[in-house]
Amino acid sequence: MSVMVVRKKAMRKWEKLPGRNTFCCDGRIMMARQKGIFYLTLFLILGTCALFFAFECRYLAVQLSPAIPVFAIVLFLFAMAMLLRTSFSDPGVIPRALPDEAAFIEMEIEATNGTVPQGQRPPPRIKNFQINNQIVKLKYCYTCKIFRPPRASHCSICDNCVERFDHHCPWVGNCVGKRNYRYFYLFILSLSLLTIYIFTFNIVYVALKSLKIGFLNTLKETPGTYLSPPHGAYLPFRPLCPVVGLTGFHTFLVALNQTTNEDIKGAWTGKNRVQNPYSHGNIVKNCCEVLCGPLPPSVLDRRGILQQEESGAQGDSSTRGPSTQEPGAPEKSSTQEPGAPEKSSTQEPGATQVLGALAVGSTREGSSSPTRQSAVPMLPLSPTGMPEETQPSAVELPAQTRDDGPTEH
């Protein structure tokens, strides 16, 4: 005989999170699934800096100052650190509503909007929220089953609602939101400085070498500057030149305490000319709030533990005494009396009973068998353990030997 044994398997919450994100290092790294352009970003930065350090830096360190490669290394390491911090962090994903919470929200919406006649479009699911004496609309997300907080939006690529959503950046392979916007801004700012720095000293290198061996000979000796001015910059560096303009655009947004999503949609510059309720009216205060304000913790709890139940069969020979049954003889219960009603097979605890008992916490330690309910009513048992119907008594014994005569009424 075997019983069903339930084992609890520990599982991290990131393994069951919805959305289109990928996780690495046991949930510590969170990225979007489309990471091809992110790898291209790494290749462009690493390739360009490798050419600069291999050819120009050695000559400039000797001819001008050894501080030139040192400062370039500092900018390079800082830009790479900000890129990885932006790409590997949670941008501020809002958890989806649980089934009970979603049902409660649906009941609230139905109670507010009332019954909608068939054929008519239901009213939009919007709540009004007041911020700095201005009404801000909270929109309902049909995917996450929640009313999104102010400035939050649903990313169609990652399939998640992100708090203070700015945009989805394929170059960093992640969404840019409340929890990683400052690192994104510092990344593009440091990358712009690194771009200008390498471009400037590339021109200085070509000018110094041209004075000695000529311009054409300089291009032949240094493959890293083959596409240098006046022909252009490094070939791998050309796609990164627009990052300087991108830095200027985000500097403008930070000064206004505005997001890219709000700027594209014209949330505060539309027909109504509604003022931005999140702006402090001061550039310094806006920059301090966006770049130096407190960083909220992640609400996903990606590395939290989820307990999952697994059932399996296991022999119960350890709970029974040695069997005296003959080999090949049919198995019988040791407590069953001759003539007693045959016991139903449902008396043994099944997998459903054990799982249900664990789910509600009704299983008590030390009990020999869980409480069961059978569809067939059980006969009451006497103190001797036999059904009262079949238990012989002193009064009934002589009555069984009499002849059945006519019944008198």
Side-chain angles (χ1 to χ4, degrees):
M1 185 182 296
S2 62
V3 296
M4 303 301 294
V5 179
V6 178
R7 300 181 181 90
K8 290 186 177 181
K9 179 184 177 183
M11 182 177 292
R12 300 288 185 181
K13 291 184 179 181
W14 64 266
E15 301 181 49
K16 294 295 183 180
L17 285 178
R20 303 194 194 100
N21 293 97
T22 55
F23 299 88
C24 301
C25 299
D26 199 16
R28 293 179 176 88
I29 295 177
M30 178 179 181
M31 295 185 67
R33 291 184 182 178
Q34 296 83 0
K35 298 185 287 291
I37 303 181
F38 168 71
Y39 296 139
L40 177 61
T41 304
L42 291 177
F43 172 76
L44 293 174
I45 297 175
L46 295 175
T48 301
C49 293
L51 291 174
F52 178 73
F53 292 137
F55 297 100
E56 284 84 355
C57 269
R58 291 184 300 175
Y59 182 82
L60 294 174
V62 175
Q63 297 295 326
L64 296 180
S65 172
I68 294 175
V70 173
F71 192 69
I73 290 175
V74 171
L75 280 177
F76 168 74
L77 294 179
F78 185 79
M80 290 300 299
M82 293 299 101
L83 170 62
L84 299 180
R85 184 68 173 83
T86 305
S87 302
F88 295 163
S89 61
D90 172 20
V93 174
I94 304 172
R96 301 189 181 187
L98 298 175
D100 295 340
E101 297 173 347
F104 180 76
I105 293 175
E106 290 288 341
M107 291 175 57
E108 280 189 334
I109 294 174
E110 291 179 359
T112 303
N113 297 336
T115 304
V116 180
Q118 188 175 4
Q120 292 187 7
R121 177 180 295 181
R125 298 183 173 186
I126 293 176
K127 286 185 177 181
N128 293 328
F129 193 77
Q130 188 173 1
I131 299 177
N132 292 335
N133 297 326
Q134 291 199 25
I135 301 300
V136 178
K137 295 181 179 179
L138 306 184
K139 296 182 179 180
Y140 180 80
C141 179
Y142 288 88
T143 303
C144 301
K145 307 295 183 183
I146 59 172
F147 280 96
R148 291 193 292 261
R151 314 187 85 176
S153 183
H154 191 90
C155 177
S156 59
I157 299 176
C158 295
D159 197 22
N160 284 314
C161 281
V162 180
E163 193 173 2
R164 199 187 182 277
F165 178 75
D166 192 87
H167 69 288
H168 182 91
C169 182
W171 295 98
V172 301
N174 203 353
C175 287
V176 179
K178 186 174 184 178
R179 297 193 69 252
N180 64 349
Y181 180 80
R182 65 183 61 180
Y183 303 111
F184 171 78
Y185 178 77
L186 293 176
F187 162 64
I188 59 177
L189 179 62
S190 59
L191 187 61
S192 299
L193 296 177
L194 182 62
T195 304
I196 297 171
Y197 188 84
I198 293 178
F199 189 84
T200 302
F201 281 101
N202 187 31
I203 298 176
V204 173
Y205 172 80
V206 172
L208 293 177
K209 292 283 287 186
S210 299
L211 294 177
K212 294 183 178 181
I213 60 175
F215 180 73
L216 294 178
N217 292 330
T218 302
L219 297 181
K220 292 178 181 179
E221 284 189 2
T222 312
T225 57
Y226 178 67
L227 291 177
S228 58
H231 304 285
Y234 284 101
L235 179 61
F237 211 68
R238 281 185 174 181
L240 294 180
C241 290
V243 77
V244 179
L246 182 64
T247 304
F249 172 69
H250 278 277
T251 303
F252 168 75
L253 294 179
V254 169
L256 297 179
N257 198 349
Q258 197 171 346
T259 65
T260 304
N261 185 48
E262 294 170 348
D263 182 74
I264 293 176
K265 293 182 177 179
W268 316 123
T269 57
K271 297 180 180 179
N272 297 329
R273 297 292 178 180
V274 181
Q275 297 296 325
N276 184 3
Y278 309 104
S279 177
H280 297 280
N282 189 309
I283 296 178
V284 177
K285 290 183 178 180
N286 290 335
C287 293
C288 291
E289 179 183 346
V290 176
L291 303 178
C292 305
L295 188 66
S298 176
V299 295
L300 287 182
D301 190 20
R302 305 189 299 271
R303 304 191 70 249
I305 302 297
L306 282 177
Q307 296 290 344
Q308 287 197 346
E309 297 177 352
E310 288 185 349
S311 59
Q314 180 180 353
D316 60 345
S317 58
S318 59
T319 60
R320 296 182 299 177
S323 176
T324 59
Q325 188 174 354
E326 296 286 340
E331 186 176 356
K332 291 184 180 180
S333 175
S334 58
T335 59
Q336 187 173 357
E337 296 289 339
E342 188 176 356
K343 293 184 179 181
S344 173
S345 60
T346 60
Q347 294 178 2
E348 293 295 334
T352 307
Q353 293 175 344
V354 176
L355 291 175
L358 286 175
V360 299
S362 63
T363 305
R364 292 175 292 183
E365 297 181 0
S367 61
S368 59
S369 61
T371 306
R372 62 182 182 276
Q373 293 182 357
S374 176
V376 181
M378 302 298 294
L379 295 174
L381 297 179
S382 68
T384 61
M386 296 182 60
E388 293 183 358
E389 247 177 26
T390 59
Q391 184 179 359
S393 62
V395 180
E396 292 177 353
L397 285 176
Q400 294 177 357
T401 59
R402 292 186 304 175
D403 295 334
D404 296 334
T407 305
E408 295 182 2
H409 298 280

